[in-house]
Amino acid sequence: MQKTYFIETYGCQMNVADSELVESILKREGYCATQNMHAADAIFINTCAIREHAEEKVHSRLGTFHKVKKERPEVIVGVLGCMAQNLKDELLENKPYIDIILGPDSYRSLSDVFSRKTKYNGNVVDTKLSRFEVYDDLFPSRKEGVNAWISIMRGCDKFCTFCIVPFTRGRERSRSVESIRQEASEAVANGFVEVTLLGQNVNSYRHEKRKFHHLLEEVASVSGLKRIRYISPHPQDVTDELLSVMAAYPVICNSIHLPLQAGSNRILKRMNRTYSKEHFIALADKIRAYLPGVGISTDIIVGFPGEQEADFRETLNVMDSVKFDSAFTFKYSPRPYTKAEQYSDQIPEVVKQERLQLVIDVQRKNTLLQNRKMIGKVEMILVEKDSKRAADQWAGRTDSNKWVIFDKCDAKIKDLVPVRIMDAKGISLHGELLETEEVLL
Ligand code: 5AD
Ligand code: SF4
């Protein structure tokens, strides 16, 4: 009988893409996927270390894996990804039931791991970080869908003082334009209509002499693609060339994630973010000038060490000035190895919680304000999935990355259809599907 694996993924989209790579290796090793961990021969968890909360979720999940291992000691338990990299000693010491620990640059060794495992019958640990590994020749095993995640670069050299990523994922390195283009073409051949280019610092992509905007142009020329997205850029590397390319190619979505993190220059400096509040605001204005109707989303951290009330107010002020379309908001979480963890002026949890609530409230107001501007407009929507609320409605996105709910009528998943926006509630828009002739009139 064929051996089976079960894999669960936590954290960012990069991990989703990495799990797809792991799945392709497992399939080559003769394994097939199962959704039932109690019947699987090997169970894997791909982990995230970005905040403490993310790690806690993984620890609790590992408790369940432990029970499976007690029932069936022959099952192989593997921990992959950023926590594997970061916590290998603790995992080895406190969770001896874990058989395999592989960091983000070690998935290729999964094949020998199985043979080593049977040979020595001990734990297998490989968490070496590589300066070169980009898995260029390994194409991921994707489930059918609308969007294909394509990893274009790995690692990060920015060393923001709060962030563990440069330690868990190592130095920046990029894949070749040709292999990325080929992967995009294959994704189209396999029925995907959208690709999202992924990297920890996606716009510092550089391969030989080619930069991110060159790559975008190449991917934009892949025929059959309806949409191209990318995450996550750094404001420092948003160049005029990039904005020109985005403006020139309709297939590249009119949407950009622009992580602010904080609005006070003093805190930005302590975070090592390399831009000032003034520069950030001017950049957002420039993006809107190049790309009318663009959706701008952001990340915000509250309660970074030393953040005074006045600093925090500046974050709220920048939010109100830029008016982001959406925001991911986080309480600062001290991470091992990082500079900020050592700062002595950590902020109490209650203050962090209060500030988090305030940024959430400001963003909710701004999201609604931005979404209300869309009412009456006709937007092209890529049909992506069933709406959660009603079986006869679709959910799809505008190219500015806003979710729209509308009656299915005769539209199908993967169609790009015209929808008139009728209402804005909460974070999503509600619309009516138009006949193509209505749009032409
Ligand atoms: N605490 C809280 N949020 C963090 N992020 C990264 N590191 C931390 C941390 N230590 C957030 C940043 C980043 C996003 C992916 O996660 O906002 O942009
Ligand atoms: Fe972390 Fe900063 Fe690198 Fe983003 S740019 S992964 S926040 S260190």
Side-chain angles (χ1 to χ4, degrees):
M1 226 173 57
Q2 202 175 10
K3 288 182 286 184
T4 57
Y5 71 86
F6 169 89
I7 187 163
E8 210 166 69
T9 305
Y10 289 83
C12 63
Q13 299 312 331
M14 199 73 187
N15 264 11
V16 174
D18 278 358
S19 288
E20 289 174 348
L21 269 181
V22 167
E23 289 196 56
S24 85
I25 299 172
L26 288 168
K27 284 181 180 155
R28 223 176 40 192
E29 290 298 308
Y31 280 73
C32 69
T34 171
Q35 303 303 317
N36 178 7
M37 82 161 98
H38 297 281
D41 297 290
I43 52 182
F44 292 96
I45 185 161
N46 196 353
T47 63
C48 171
I50 195 95
R51 284 169 291 275
E52 202 181 343
H53 182 63
E55 284 188 356
E56 282 161 4
K57 276 197 288 192
V58 168
H59 279 300
S60 117
R61 210 52 195 138
L62 281 173
T64 309
F65 282 23
H66 191 189
K67 283 191 199 130
V68 178
K69 182 84 174 180
K70 277 188 198 147
E71 284 159 21
R72 292 187 301 125
E74 71 283 6
V75 68
I76 296 171
V77 176
V79 177
L80 314 173
C82 289
M83 263 174 91
Q85 192 70 38
N86 171 33
L87 288 180
K88 71 163 184 252
D89 297 332
E90 194 216 297
L91 291 174
L92 280 173
E93 202 171 306
N94 300 329
K95 296 185 165 64
Y97 57 88
I98 296 173
D99 302 286
I100 297 172
I101 301 182
L102 292 182
D105 286 347
S106 307
Y107 301 142
R108 211 180 273 280
S109 58
L110 205 55
S111 335
D112 6 308
V113 150
F114 282 111
S115 46
R116 269 200 270 165
K117 159 87 191 136
T118 43
K119 208 160 156 195
Y120 302 115
N121 205 25
N123 304 65
V124 175
V125 182
D126 190 346
T127 58
K128 272 194 306 293
L129 285 171
S130 157
R131 282 193 163 269
F132 310 104
E133 181 60 274
V134 284
Y135 301 110
D136 222 3
D137 56 321
L138 268 181
F139 279 18
S141 160
R142 302 191 168 96
K143 285 172 201 73
E144 225 179 90
V146 177
N147 173 75
W149 306 105
I150 301 186
S151 153
I152 65 158
M153 56 85 68
R154 301 177 73 85
C156 176
D157 290 349
K158 292 277 194 292
F159 286 92
C160 299
T161 57
F162 51 79
C163 187
I164 197 171
V165 165
F167 304 95
T168 57
R169 285 189 168 266
R171 301 288 58 76
E172 273 177 17
R173 59 227 113 109
S174 298
R175 284 175 66 185
S176 70
V177 171
E178 290 66 34
S179 85
I180 295 166
R181 200 180 182 287
Q182 198 191 336
E183 192 176 326
S185 301
E186 279 193 22
V188 172
N190 289 329
F192 293 91
V193 292
E194 178 183 87
V195 294
T196 303
L197 307 181
L198 293 177
Q200 245 71 46
N201 226 315
V202 77
N203 54 338
S204 59
Y205 173 89
R206 193 181 177 99
H207 190 266
E208 287 158 7
K209 289 219 160 65
R210 305 223 258 171
K211 296 191 183 162
F212 185 56
H213 65 276
H214 297 127
L215 172 72
L216 267 185
E217 275 191 301
E218 283 286 337
V219 178
S221 69
V222 171
S223 63
L225 267 184
K226 293 185 179 173
R227 282 187 169 174
I228 301 170
R229 298 184 183 277
Y230 63 88
I231 46 171
S232 225
H234 190 292
Q236 183 189 318
D237 302 318
V238 176
T239 59
D240 286 12
E241 289 100 324
L242 169 58
L243 296 175
S244 299
V245 168
M246 287 177 76
Y249 292 87
V251 69
I252 305 172
C253 284
N254 212 14
S255 137
I256 188 158
H257 186 63
L258 200 66
L260 168 67
Q261 311 299 3
S264 136
N265 286 339
R266 196 177 66 85
I267 297 297
L268 285 169
K269 196 150 195 223
R270 276 194 127 196
M271 286 177 160
N272 190 30
R273 285 297 287 178
T274 71
Y275 51 82
S276 66
K277 142 183 145 177
E278 292 76 16
H279 175 256
F280 187 95
I281 293 173
L283 179 60
D285 287 344
K286 184 160 85 176
I287 292 171
R288 287 192 169 124
Y290 266 97
L291 308 167
V294 65
I296 306 185
S297 56
T298 198
D299 290 342
I300 287 173
I301 299 178
V302 299
F304 183 79
E307 184 186 69
Q308 304 286 317
E309 194 57 32
D311 297 309
F312 175 62
R313 291 279 145 200
E314 289 197 68
T315 299
L316 296 180
N317 289 343
V318 178
M319 290 176 78
D320 259 340
S321 157
V322 175
K323 300 223 160 32
F324 297 107
D325 294 273
S326 63
F328 298 95
T329 52
F330 309 105
K331 286 188 276 186
Y332 168 72
S333 168
R335 305 313 293 134
Y337 316 119
T338 61
K339 211 166 174 185
E341 186 211 22
Q342 287 149 28
Y343 293 159
S344 56
D345 41 7
Q346 301 286 327
I347 303 296
E349 178 61 25
V350 281
V351 177
K352 287 186 196 170
Q353 187 55 47
E354 258 172 42
R355 290 181 184 169
L356 182 69
Q357 196 51 54
L358 285 168
V359 291
I360 291 172
D361 292 346
V362 167
Q363 187 52 47
R364 195 169 283 151
K365 184 192 76 186
N366 286 340
T367 299
L368 198 59
L369 193 91
Q370 293 294 80
N371 284 357
R372 289 198 156 275
K373 288 187 192 159
M374 310 282 288
I375 295 176
K377 290 193 177 153
V378 175
E379 291 281 323
M380 293 308 289
I381 306 299
L382 182 61
V383 182
E384 295 188 41
K385 56 187 184 188
D386 283 319
S387 139
K388 280 189 208 126
R389 283 191 217 136
D392 59 351
Q393 290 191 315
W394 288 130
R397 275 180 294 169
T398 64
D399 81 333
S400 60
N401 207 18
K402 294 175 187 290
W403 283 98
V404 184
I405 314 291
F406 57 97
D407 286 348
K408 285 183 175 173
C409 305
D410 54 1
K412 301 181 301 300
I413 289 217
K414 298 186 197 178
D415 285 351
L416 200 52
V417 291
V419 171
R420 187 181 301 282
I421 308 301
M422 306 302 288
D423 201 0
K425 286 190 203 122
I427 53 165
S428 45
L429 298 162
H430 293 260
E432 274 175 17
L433 185 66
L434 301 183
E435 300 292 328
T436 319
E437 301 83 73
E438 283 182 68
V439 183
L440 294 174
L441 284 176

